[in-house]
Every structure is written in structure tokens, then in C-alpha cells.
Amino acid sequence: SQTIHQWPATLVQPVGSPLSLECTVEGTSNPNLYWYRQAAGRGLQLLFYSVGIGQISSEVPQNLSASRPQDRQFILSSKKLLLSDSGFYLCAWRSRTGGDNSPLHFGNGTRLTVT
Amino acid sequence: GEDVEQSLFLSVREGDSSVINCTYTDSSSTYLYWYKQEPGAGLQLLTYIFSNMDMKQDQRLTVLLNKKDKHLSLRIADTQTGDSAIYFCADRGRTGGFKTIFGAGTRLFVKA
């Protein structure tokens, strides 16, 4: 069966520090991968998605970047965090072979607090 | 861009039915989903419905789709305290570039 791992679960970082959040998927090949941010009391905002190694699409201009160095690894980064980067970050994957009805499958999320 | 809207809160008594409503704007929606998020966790897929269906039932869950009004609802029968969570409606359609668009989530409170 497929599983998705996301770490760390919580992170407190000072303003101006770098960020690296990692997500890996097991049990499937060539998935579509996604990073979402959930701000308190608000819905999910799609930040980045990737359809293959090295292929990253950005949905919103921001202080963050994403990379996909391996097929099942997706990394969210920042060189210098801002207070506004605080939030709950969710990684998700979707099968590319499961047809149009393939849903998103989410990791357990990372709670980031920038102080 | 396309949008999905939900009411933010719903409170019910244990044993009653809960109905969570959602409206969407994408006229070319293909699939609509309901996800559940428990505190501090990721989103868990509850159920989904294809846009050419009116209803789908899965144990205590009933999904109703009114495509004409672009209205989706999730009914939870015999609501339990373990059902307390945030429920997200999501839409995936051609107009939205086949991206999954989420509503802001409805927080369901179940009173014992």
C-alpha cells in the first residue's frame, strides 16, 4: 500500500532563518506531488505541484521554493523565513495512472511557527 | 479563478444527523470530494462523487449533488463525538485546470 511521510511534524524557526521540509511517498511510482499551506481558519492554498523529477510549477509568488530531486521526494524550502510563512504545510500525492478520479492523499502536515 | 464555498461552523447533538453544505463555481467539474481533518493531522479522503451522479451512499455518509445549482452536501447519520473535525469540500474540473480546489472547511462540533 502507498504511504506518505512528512517531517518534521512541528517546527519553530526565527525570522530570517532557512527552511527545509521534506516529504516522501512509498508504494507508488511517478506520482504527482503537491505542497499546500493551510492558514488558521482558512482553506488550503496550493503552493507548488510537480509532475516529475525536476519539474516544479508554482501557483503563487512567494518566499518559498520547491524541489523534486527524486521521483518520490518533494522538498519545500526557503532561504529566509518571514513571519507570514507561519502555517500548517501539507504534502500530498496523486496517482497519475489511477484515472481522472484519483484523489489527493495527504501527509500528516508540518506546523511551522516563525517567531 | 474557480471557487468552493462552505459555512465555517456546524454544531449538532450526538445521535442527530449532520448536513454540511458546499457550493462551487466550476461548471465543468468532474469529481467532487469530501475530506476530513482531525486536529493536528492531515486530510483524510472520506468519499467522492462523479459529476454525473446525484447521490452516493457509503455507510453513515450520504453525498447529494445538485449539478444545476452547483451544490454539494454531506450528510452524516447518527453523528458521534468522533465525527468532530473539519470537513473540506473539494472540486476538480476542467475550468480549474484539473487542479483540486478546496473550500475553507466546516468545523463540526458534536455535543454529547
Side-chain angles (χ1 to χ4, degrees):
Chain A
S1 65
Q2 302 92 357
T3 55
I4 179 169
H5 302 281
Q6 198 181 331
W7 68 93
T10 59
L11 192 59
V12 180
Q13 291 282 99
V15 168
S17 64
L19 173 73
S20 181
L21 303 182
E22 191 159 341
C23 171
T24 58
V25 181
E26 295 176 1
T28 187
S29 295
N30 200 24
N32 283 354
L33 296 172
Y34 305 81
W35 280 110
Y36 283 85
R37 177 167 57 201
Q38 183 181 14
R42 297 169 71 177
L44 276 69
Q45 179 186 34
L46 179 61
L47 301 176
F48 302 94
Y49 68 94
S50 171
V51 298
I53 295 173
Q55 299 179 63
I56 308 295
S57 296
S58 174
E59 287 295 297
V60 291
Q62 58 203 310
N63 184 42
L64 302 168
S65 62
S67 61
R68 185 171 178 174
Q70 298 180 51
D71 180 46
R72 289 169 289 172
Q73 184 185 26
F74 206 23
I75 297 171
L76 183 69
S77 304
S78 173
K79 291 182 180 176
K80 287 186 178 181
L81 283 168
L82 306 172
L83 284 174
S84 58
D85 291 324
S86 293
F88 192 53
Y89 289 84
L90 290 156
C91 181
W93 71 274
R94 183 177 169 273
S95 171
R96 297 182 67 192
T97 57
D100 282 346
N101 67 338
S102 291
L104 290 169
H105 301 277
F106 286 85
N108 284 330
T110 296
R111 170 76 58 196
L112 172 65
T113 304
V114 182
T115 59
Chain B
E2 300 308 318
D3 195 21
V4 175
E5 293 196 354
Q6 306 175 236
S7 53
L8 294 182
F9 299 99
L10 176 66
S11 180
V12 299
R13 291 192 179 280
E14 191 174 21
D16 288 350
S17 292
S18 309
V19 180
I20 302 171
N21 295 300
C22 166
T23 57
Y24 59 97
T25 59
D26 190 346
S27 58
S28 68
S29 279
T30 53
Y31 292 91
L32 296 120
Y33 306 89
W34 284 104
Y35 285 85
K36 176 183 180 183
Q37 184 183 34
E38 297 187 352
L43 276 68
Q44 171 195 358
L45 178 69
L46 279 180
T47 186
Y48 66 91
I49 188 168
F50 186 44
S51 58
N52 69 352
M53 297 170 64
D54 298 326
M55 185 181 89
K56 181 178 180 181
Q57 187 151 4
D58 183 1
Q59 298 181 337
R60 293 192 295 123
L61 304 179
T62 303
V63 179
L64 294 177
L65 175 60
N66 181 328
K67 196 172 180 180
K68 173 177 168 289
D69 294 338
K70 300 193 184 73
H71 181 268
L72 183 74
S73 68
L74 173 70
R75 178 177 180 270
I76 305 173
D78 187 25
T79 312
Q80 302 298 307
T81 54
D83 295 323
S84 294
I86 301 176
Y87 291 81
F88 289 91
C89 171
D91 155 64
R92 186 161 181 264
R94 191 177 306 113
T95 308
F98 289 105
K99 295 187 180 74
T100 306
I101 310 296
F102 287 85
T106 299
R107 187 178 291 273
L108 174 65
F109 295 94
V110 181
K111 295 175 287 189

